[in-house]
Amino acid sequence: MISIITAVYNQLAMNQLFWEKLNQYTKNKFELIIIDNASTDGSADWFESVGVKVIRNEANYSYPHSQNQGIAVAKYDNLVFMNNDVIVSPNWDENILASMEHNGLEVATVCGIEQIENFLATRTLKRRWKKIKNFVGLLGRSKWVLSLMHKLMYPDWNKFSNDRLDKFKYQIKEGFVGNTVVMKRSAIDKIGLWDERLQQADFDLYLRTKSREIEVGDMKTVHICLDTFIHHYIRLSMKAGYPPFIDSKNFIGMHDKWSPEYMKYFDSLNK
């Protein structure tokens, strides 16, 4: 059983496609908790109409604040922090939970266009997506267009996903792909909630697991599960624009929190 926490601001077509594929491809029982950051296009109403729990904010809050709101009401011990602009793969939840169990991980992410098994494979995938996104994206952002992009990128989504599962089963590498983070509640007991001062929340999470592994030794650094791929539309939806974060006055930089000893890990991920 899993609790999926997703923050949204508008993007109704994307939200509908996200929900459709989540239901189609998720194997375990799940709850979806939507943190709606003052959408104006009916997204909150639509999610409620299909039975999803919606927390309505009166303004646009940052990612870490939104995720902590979701944690406060989540029912289950397997927490998934997921973007809305993704399409999950068949049995994605079962696959990543199995990999986490096999590898002794309490925090893990999927792989995706942002990063797969090596630099060359990632570059090839990114270039293919960029061509499709830039060309088909000229047609707009409707659900049909978004689906067409995905179909052109992966003509047989099931085969693509299952081939990766067969080839990379239980294989992991240190790092993260931020569109989908899976965290056991036991990890929150060790490293705490998302730090609402950090807009670069994924990098901060990586460093918190890294420091816990080094200094305490009772958990592993977050790893990418190479057998579980989720498609991410990446910056496509950013073009719609977002109002400023209402809590931005609280933000600090990574260097304000972390010592040079740990920032070397941060800098290595940014190369």
Side-chain angles (χ1 to χ4, degrees):
M1 298 182 182
I2 57 176
S3 295
I4 302 171
I5 301 166
T6 300
V8 305
Y9 174 76
N10 289 341
Q11 305 170 0
L12 180 59
M14 187 80 75
N15 292 331
Q16 291 172 336
L17 184 60
F18 165 66
W19 173 245
E20 176 185 308
K21 299 303 181 183
L22 199 60
N23 277 284
Q24 180 179 353
Y25 290 127
T26 305
K27 185 168 183 178
N28 292 288
K29 180 180 178 180
F30 72 93
E31 63 169 350
L32 176 62
I33 302 165
I34 291 293
I35 314 300
D36 185 85
N37 285 310
S39 292
T40 59
D41 66 348
S43 285
D45 291 337
W46 182 83
F47 273 118
E48 287 182 338
S49 76
V50 295
V52 171
K53 180 176 181 60
V54 178
I55 296 175
R56 294 176 181 252
N57 287 329
E58 295 181 354
N60 189 31
Y61 279 89
S62 63
Y63 177 87
H65 178 85
S66 298
Q67 304 316 300
N68 286 340
Q69 286 183 286
I71 293 170
V73 299
K75 297 178 183 177
Y76 304 125
D77 289 336
N78 292 311
L79 302 166
V80 181
F81 307 98
M82 182 177 282
N83 287 17
N84 68 318
D85 55 343
V86 301
I87 291 182
V88 299
S89 54
N91 300 327
W92 67 276
D93 54 320
E94 180 181 60
N95 296 335
I96 194 168
L97 289 173
S99 183
M100 290 174 69
E101 181 69 22
H102 179 83
N103 291 291
L105 298 173
E106 293 175 85
V107 187
T109 78
V110 300
C111 64
I113 294 172
E114 302 93 321
Q115 190 173 173
I116 49 177
E117 57 272 13
N118 58 55
F119 172 78
L120 290 177
T122 300
R123 185 177 66 180
T124 299
L125 205 61
K126 282 182 175 179
R127 287 177 174 176
R128 176 176 172 80
W129 173 240
K130 184 177 181 180
K131 289 178 182 178
I132 292 171
K133 179 181 66 173
N134 290 346
F135 179 69
V136 183
L138 296 174
L139 300 175
R141 300 291 184 272
S142 69
K143 183 180 174 183
W144 180 84
V145 171
L146 295 169
S147 298
L148 177 61
M149 287 182 184
H150 184 260
K151 181 66 175 178
L152 292 173
M153 183 69 183
Y154 319 96
D156 189 333
W157 179 232
N158 286 5
K159 184 177 186 304
F160 174 86
S161 303
N162 290 329
D163 284 350
R164 285 202 62 88
L165 178 62
D166 292 340
K167 185 176 181 179
F168 297 103
K169 191 169 181 64
Y170 297 150
Q171 292 186 41
I172 59 174
K173 72 174 185 178
E174 187 174 309
F176 65 89
V177 171
N179 71 66
T180 304
V181 178
V182 182
M183 187 185 305
K184 294 185 178 296
R185 202 175 288 271
S186 59
I188 295 176
D189 294 337
K190 294 175 181 177
I191 63 174
L193 298 170
W194 293 87
D195 190 337
E196 298 184 15
R197 301 172 301 164
L198 274 297
Q199 175 63 357
Q200 293 173 296
D202 297 329
F203 286 100
D204 179 62
L205 177 66
Y206 171 78
L207 290 184
R208 283 192 289 146
T209 59
K210 170 65 73 175
S211 65
R212 184 78 182 197
E213 180 179 50
I214 293 172
E215 296 172 15
V216 182
D218 62 348
M219 70 181 303
K220 294 182 179 179
T221 305
V222 60
H223 279 68
I224 301 167
C225 295
L226 297 174
D227 58 4
T228 309
F229 187 99
I230 285 182
H231 172 72
H232 185 204
Y233 286 89
I234 311 182
R235 294 178 177 83
L236 186 71
S237 57
M238 294 294 288
K239 294 181 179 180
Y242 293 87
F245 292 122
I246 194 69
D247 51 345
S248 61
K249 63 182 181 298
N250 300 323
F251 292 169
I252 63 172
M254 291 289 291
H255 287 84
D256 296 322
K257 177 177 180 179
W258 292 99
S259 68
E261 177 186 0
Y262 281 106
M263 284 306 298
K264 67 183 181 183
Y265 299 109
F266 170 81
D267 293 336
S268 69
L269 290 178
N270 269 321
K271 287 181 180 178

